[in-house]
Amino acid sequence: MSPHATPRSPAMRVRALAALILAVGSMFGLPVSAQITNSTGSYPYGTSPRGMTEIPTTQPVRDPKALIDAEARARAAQGTAGAAVVPGMNPQPLPPDPATSLKPLMFGSQMFSGRFAATAFSGFNPDQQIAVGDRISVRMWGAFNFEATQVVDAQGNVFVPNVGPVNVLGVRNADLNGIIEIQVKKTYRASVGVYATLEAAQPVKIYVTGFVRAPGLYGGLSSDSVIAYLDRAGGIDPDRGSYVEVDVLRAGKPYAKVNLYDFLLNGRIESLQLHDGDTLVVAPRKFTVTVGGEVLNPYIFEFGRPAVTGEELLAVARPRPGATHLSVVRKLGADHRSEYHAISEAAAVTIQDGDEVTVTSDKYPGTILVRIEGSHLGERTLVLPYGSHLKDALARIRPAPQSRLEAIQLFRKSVATRQKDLIEASLRSLETYALTARSATSEEAALRSREGQQILEFIDRARQVQPRGQVILGQNGDVGNTLLEDGDVLRIPAQSNLVLVSGEVLMPTALVFDARASVDDYIARSGGYTQGADKAKVLVVRQDGTVVMGTQVALAPGDELMVLPKIETKSVEITRGITQIIYQIAVAAKVLFDL
């Protein structure tokens, strides 16, 4: 290269090489076409005078049904990122759950999530009429053999060798074989069998308009359902469109009406053979009623009449087995009027457009169930009248010889829920302190960050604890008059001569009761305190659930000693908060936590 020559870029060198290849190829009369790729992209070269051709715009001819299916799958795939996926199916979003939705959902809107649009229907429809463009498979055997797929021509005929044109336009699919066989038998009276069947429905394009999300012209098969075309148009607009009136127009005139509720509730859908150029028109929304409460279908329902009976409404809302009443809120301008009726009277209740109906379950318990656990020889479940007291349950208990009825324990779901709420409130307060603590230096900030991470891990573990919900009965009050609730659990402890020692001791164990031994003696026999023990916080838990703190407590057989851990942090508030939570969990769940 000359020292004064202009350096060539990689792209220029590629173009020069391609031109040389084209020149050599043209010398031998060869049709040269290559696509050379370098680091900057792709450069298609052909046989034009300038050495470059346009990128081909024509696509290989594909089967129309394959094109339709590919287009439907592409539309169905849009907007599915992060959506729930049904195992074994194409990734498509699940419809929202009406029970957890932030606003009431329109009944019927759950149909349009891409599942109908993504799948074409090509099954056998006996009532489908043969149309121009349909593909018919004809087979003949015997004295004359013939097999081919015939396309119905513009005059509605298929051509059969030695027989001639056979008109099949408008013939029902179920009658197709018989019609062609009759024409063949006119030429071949014997020894020739005939079988004809519709191989593929005709590809058509249908206008979808009205109150749909994306009006337009959509392709499919003539055998596809109306729901499939509505789904391709994005579905019916749930705020404005009608699900009970979808009109099918042919040549601008009404041809059929479709009520989608027949499909949703009863599984019935009319098999319409759509023609090229048909129009689907979704009418505006008609009369609606909002239903919630104790129903299986908490939706907004649409009706074709301005008023229906409560029985008709409940037929689509499907009340739960325990439902007893329905509450109706009627809006009359700025005024609201409320009604309350028993479900048994629903046939006489009139529900109007815009009403809000709530189905409720007004139950008055006649009996309660109480579970008996522990040292007991009788039945394990007691059925008591509503409003029974503890003494009523004790009268039916058959204690075992080793039972301690004076230490009976009562566990209640509502108390466990309240204990969980109190622990959660303390955890949120601790979380606030841990996340908002300020630091004066970067070293202190790093230390607080590590400490904060430990506290957050402690909070996560503490949130998993389930309180027992024990009601401390004690022996000083009027225990027998304690009112029982449905689902209560009575546990009768057995006599024991052991003392359990747990928590921050070297060897948590169970020791035989010694009337002369003190709390410190039991701890010493368990190996003594660990380095992380808080010697000032030792809990004594009695068999009846009573909790006493201190080391100067007189012990009894069956007691449990729990040594709490010592909490050391840079913040007094955090130390106090963690200590309080550990104490609450130890009492409510008999579980010891440490930072």
Side-chain angles (χ1 to χ4, degrees):
M1 178 182 291
S2 171
H4 301 289
T6 303
R8 292 186 178 184
S9 65
M12 294 175 64
R13 293 172 182 168
V14 170
R15 292 191 180 95
L17 178 60
L20 179 60
I21 294 173
L22 293 175
V24 173
S26 62
M27 291 174 59
F28 294 94
L30 300 176
V32 181
S33 177
Q35 179 165 323
I36 303 176
T37 305
N38 62 8
S39 60
T40 61
S42 298
Y43 302 94
Y45 292 90
T47 56
S48 67
R50 298 180 58 186
M52 177 178 286
T53 61
E54 297 292 336
I55 297 176
T57 57
T58 59
Q59 299 292 334
V61 178
R62 295 175 59 187
D63 179 63
K65 183 178 182 301
L67 288 173
I68 294 167
D69 292 345
E71 182 181 357
R73 285 192 297 270
R75 282 194 300 270
Q78 295 178 356
T80 60
V85 175
V86 178
M89 296 180 61
N90 291 331
Q92 292 171 340
L94 287 173
D97 185 355
T100 58
S101 177
L102 298 179
K103 68 175 185 177
L105 300 176
M106 192 70 193
F107 186 66
S109 60
Q110 68 269 31
M111 286 193 298
F112 302 112
S113 60
R115 287 174 171 78
F116 288 98
T119 304
F121 178 77
S122 56
F124 180 79
N125 180 5
D127 295 324
Q128 181 173 345
Q129 296 180 344
I130 306 301
V132 175
D134 285 349
R135 298 165 58 88
I136 298 176
S137 175
V138 180
R139 294 180 177 87
M140 300 170 61
W141 66 93
F144 177 76
N145 294 324
F146 172 75
E147 181 176 352
T149 299
Q150 302 280 358
V151 178
V152 180
D153 60 22
Q155 299 181 23
N157 298 324
V158 292
F159 188 84
V160 180
N162 299 330
V163 176
V166 179
N167 189 274
V168 294
L169 184 65
V171 174
R172 292 176 65 248
N173 195 6
D175 303 330
L176 175 64
N177 188 76
I179 294 296
I180 295 180
E181 185 177 15
I182 290 173
Q183 297 301 318
V184 170
K185 292 300 182 181
K186 291 180 180 180
T187 301
Y188 301 100
R189 297 184 179 275
S191 302
V192 174
V194 179
Y195 179 76
T197 182
L198 180 64
E199 185 177 82
Q202 178 188 12
V204 296
K205 291 188 180 295
I206 304 298
Y207 292 98
V208 184
T209 186
F211 292 91
V212 293
R213 290 180 173 177
L217 180 66
Y218 293 92
L221 299 177
S222 59
S223 57
D224 285 347
S225 67
V226 170
I227 301 178
Y229 285 100
L230 292 174
D231 202 7
R232 289 169 186 148
I236 296 174
D237 189 331
D239 297 323
R240 301 179 300 145
S242 173
Y243 292 84
V244 300
E245 184 177 338
V246 178
D247 297 320
V248 182
L249 305 182
R250 182 162 295 170
K253 297 180 181 180
Y255 175 72
K257 285 185 180 292
V258 178
N259 186 340
L260 298 183
Y261 278 14
D262 284 343
F263 172 72
L264 278 172
L265 297 172
N266 306 312
R268 295 194 300 264
I269 183 169
E270 186 176 357
S271 298
L272 295 176
Q273 182 182 1
L274 298 174
H275 290 184
D276 205 35
D278 283 353
T279 303
L280 304 182
V281 182
V282 177
R285 178 190 288 187
K286 300 197 176 295
F287 311 101
T288 59
V289 178
T290 304
V291 184
E294 294 293 318
V295 291
L296 298 176
N297 295 328
Y299 286 98
I300 301 174
F301 291 94
E302 182 183 5
F303 295 95
R305 308 191 309 275
V308 295
T309 65
E311 188 176 33
E312 292 176 288
L313 178 64
L314 295 179
V316 294
R318 310 288 171 87
R320 297 182 183 276
T324 58
H325 291 76
L326 54 94
S327 172
V328 182
V329 177
R330 185 158 297 150
K331 300 178 181 179
L332 302 173
D335 298 332
H336 284 197
R337 188 176 66 187
S338 298
E339 300 177 4
Y340 197 67
H341 305 277
I343 286 183
S344 59
E345 304 171 355
V349 178
T350 300
I351 307 297
Q352 299 180 4
D353 180 33
D355 286 355
E356 297 179 2
V357 178
T358 303
V359 179
T360 59
S361 178
D362 290 345
K363 295 181 179 179
Y364 303 96
T367 58
I368 61 175
L369 292 179
V370 178
R371 180 73 179 170
I372 308 298
E373 297 179 354
S375 184
H376 171 57
L377 300 179
E379 54 188 352
R380 295 293 174 176
T381 301
L382 302 180
V383 179
L384 301 172
Y386 180 74
S388 295
H389 298 81
L390 179 60
K391 60 184 179 182
D392 301 320
L394 293 176
R396 297 178 54 179
I397 287 178
R398 294 176 54 195
Q402 68 274 19
S403 299
R404 288 194 62 198
L405 276 179
E406 68 278 6
I408 190 169
Q409 303 168 356
L410 172 61
F411 299 91
R412 181 166 292 172
K413 294 179 181 178
S414 59
V415 175
T417 302
R418 180 57 180 165
Q419 289 176 336
K420 184 73 172 177
D421 293 340
L422 293 175
I423 294 174
E424 180 63 27
S426 299
L427 290 174
R428 286 197 299 267
S429 176
L430 175 62
E431 196 172 29
T432 301
Y433 281 123
L435 296 177
T436 58
R438 296 182 179 181
S439 304
T441 64
S442 58
E443 291 80 4
E444 185 180 358
L447 180 62
R448 287 191 181 277
S449 176
R450 291 192 297 270
E451 184 181 85
Q453 183 62 34
Q454 291 179 335
I455 294 173
L456 293 178
E457 292 176 359
F458 167 81
I459 292 173
D460 290 338
R461 289 186 291 118
R463 282 198 169 113
Q464 306 303 319
V465 174
Q466 297 299 327
R468 299 181 302 163
Q470 184 173 1
V471 178
I472 306 301
L473 296 174
Q475 302 300 324
N476 297 327
D478 192 1
V479 177
N481 286 327
T482 303
L483 195 65
L484 296 178
E485 293 183 4
D486 186 46
D488 280 353
V489 176
L490 294 176
R491 182 173 296 137
I492 304 173
Q495 295 178 1
S496 173
N497 66 336
L498 301 178
V499 174
L500 301 178
V501 183
S502 61
E504 294 297 324
V505 293
L506 291 177
M507 292 185 299
T509 186
L511 303 172
V512 177
F513 174 73
D514 183 357
R516 296 169 299 177
S518 64
V519 171
D520 289 332
D521 294 333
Y522 282 104
I523 294 176
R525 294 173 185 177
S526 299
Y529 295 101
T530 64
Q531 291 183 351
D534 190 344
K535 299 179 182 180
K537 290 184 173 58
V538 178
L539 300 184
V540 179
V541 183
R542 308 288 190 190
Q543 273 195 313
D544 62 358
T546 304
V547 179
V548 184
M549 179 179 289
T551 57
Q552 304 302 320
V553 179
L555 297 179
D559 286 350
E560 180 177 356
L561 299 180
M562 303 178 71
V563 181
L564 301 186
K566 181 189 300 183
I567 303 301
E568 295 180 355
T569 65
K570 296 298 182 181
S571 171
V572 176
E573 294 292 339
I574 291 179
T575 301
R576 185 185 301 118
I578 295 178
T579 303
Q580 177 186 357
I581 292 170
I582 291 176
Y583 180 81
Q584 288 177 333
I585 293 177
V587 173
K590 294 187 72 174
V591 175
L592 282 179
F593 267 78
D594 194 0
L595 186 59

